[in-house]
């Protein structure tokens, strides 16, 4: 699997550990920055990861910021991106299995490195189940996205 990995300065302390983990598991990292703890703006990195996924250069993404919240809010504005902040392992795999989550967001100021490793392992190992009820719900989410992107809201 090709995984786009991006972070802001708040997420940077976790980035190298996550990168090493992904590569050790036999997957490819598409590095979307940032590359230091200098202050940057998380939407820029959410956008990079989203664009890499949309272009087909990566299958999924992982985004890191201080809380996981800002970068997930930004990522979810990008059509085709289904991002979730998951700080427990159940959500990290169930978000993929039921909701077809394609970007895992973590808060580096919230979770420690070892929990982050478990969360990423759970996320990477999970697959969307394609069960009828999950497909039905996903299609409803995609219909909301279609309406939003076609200006079909008051
Ligand atoms: C940066 O200080 C911080 O606001 C950001 O990383 C993130 O936590 C926002 O949700």
């Amino acid at each position: 699997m090709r995984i786009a990995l991006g972070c802001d300065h708040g997420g940077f302390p976790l980035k190298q550990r996550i990168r090493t983990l992904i590569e050790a598991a036999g997957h490819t990292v598409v590095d979307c920055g940032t590359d230091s703890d200098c202050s940057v703006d998380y939407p820029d990195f959410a956008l990079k990861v989203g664009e890499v996924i949309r272009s087909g250069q990566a299958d999924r993404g992982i985004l890191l910021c201080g809380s996981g919240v800002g970068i997930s809010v930004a990522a979810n504005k990008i059509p085709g991106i289904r991002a979730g902040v998951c700080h427990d392992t159940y959500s990290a795999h169930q978000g993929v299995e039921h909701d077809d989550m394609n970007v895992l967001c973590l808060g580096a100021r919230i979770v420690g490195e070892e929990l982050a490793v478990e969360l990423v392992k759970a996320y990477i190992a999970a697959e969307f189940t394609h069960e009828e009820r999950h497909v039905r719900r996903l299609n409803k989410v995609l219909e909301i996205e279609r309406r939003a992107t076609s200006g079909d809201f008051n």
Side-chain angles (χ1 to χ4, degrees):
M1 192 187 307
R2 298 159 304 163
I3 299 177
L5 176 61
C7 66
D8 73 354
H9 56 288
F12 182 71
L14 260 187
K15 187 183 177 202
Q16 187 54 47
R17 181 73 188 272
I18 299 303
R19 183 187 186 128
T20 303
L21 165 69
I22 294 168
E23 291 175 340
H27 302 289
T28 301
V29 170
V30 181
D31 191 335
C32 296
T34 189
D35 300 317
S36 78
D37 58 7
C38 293
S39 184
V40 290
D41 298 333
Y42 60 77
D44 298 336
F45 299 92
L47 183 59
K48 279 187 190 176
V49 164
E51 287 179 331
V52 164
I53 294 170
R54 281 180 57 81
S55 71
Q57 296 169 69
D59 307 295
R60 286 191 206 168
I62 296 176
L63 283 168
L64 316 169
C65 72
S67 65
V69 174
I71 213 155
S72 70
V73 169
N76 277 314
K77 299 297 181 189
I78 303 166
I81 299 305
R82 294 175 294 281
V85 183
C86 300
H87 288 163
D88 65 277
T89 54
Y90 176 77
S91 302
H93 66 81
Q94 193 239 250
V96 177
E97 291 161 355
H98 291 196
D99 311 321
D100 205 16
M101 175 177 74
N102 58 6
V103 175
L104 172 69
C105 300
L106 301 179
R109 295 174 184 162
I110 311 297
V111 296
E113 278 195 16
E114 299 312 318
L115 177 55
V117 163
E118 297 302 318
L119 295 167
V120 169
K121 283 181 181 173
Y123 169 64
I124 289 175
E127 295 289 342
F128 183 52
T129 65
H130 292 277
E131 287 174 44
E132 191 278 333
R133 68 189 190 283
H134 300 315
V135 171
R136 184 180 69 242
R137 293 162 189 160
L138 175 60
N139 284 336
K140 291 187 178 186
V141 171
L142 296 177
E143 174 60 13
I144 295 170
E145 182 177 272
R146 188 202 62 72
R147 286 185 57 190
T149 53
S150 59
D152 194 16
F153 275 109
N154 293 328

